[in-house]
Amino acid sequence: MSNVIVYGTRYCPYCVAATQLLNSRGVDYKYVAVDNDPKLRAEIAERSGQSTVPQIWIGEQHIGGFTDLNRLALSDTLDRLLNA
């Protein structure tokens, strides 16, 4: 079982793409909507160093956003991270 958390907003196309990619691989993940919680969004921005969504973590490792997740998926690195 993987320990994946996706922080995003409900209307973000990149958030949707990230969850679709994870769903297509059968990855269990927790989705945390930050659109109505400015304090949480600020905490995630501080923790990630990014102000955009989605922000994705696998365990304690910050992956980044959808583009980063997709790059990992295309290089098979994502599977290694999920199975570590």
Side-chain angles (χ1 to χ4, degrees):
M1 182 175 132
S2 64
N3 186 20
V4 179
I5 301 177
V6 178
Y7 295 91
T9 61
R10 288 176 276 241
Y11 302 106
C12 163
Y14 291 105
C15 300
V16 172
T19 59
Q20 286 177 339
L21 189 154
L22 293 169
N23 288 335
S24 74
R25 291 175 169 258
V27 176
D28 291 328
Y29 61 91
K30 179 179 178 183
Y31 188 86
V32 179
V34 298
D35 34 357
N36 290 323
D37 192 338
K39 183 178 177 186
L40 178 58
R41 188 162 184 163
E43 289 173 16
I44 296 307
E46 183 176 325
R47 184 175 169 211
S48 69
Q50 303 292 319
S51 61
T52 58
V53 289
Q55 291 302 315
I56 304 161
W57 273 264
I58 298 176
E60 294 299 314
Q61 183 172 351
H62 179 240
I63 300 306
F66 168 71
T67 303
D68 305 299
L69 179 68
N70 191 48
R71 180 178 39 80
L72 292 174
L74 292 173
S75 70
D76 294 328
T77 304
L78 179 60
D79 291 331
R80 283 185 263 147
L81 289 171
L82 292 170
N83 294 318

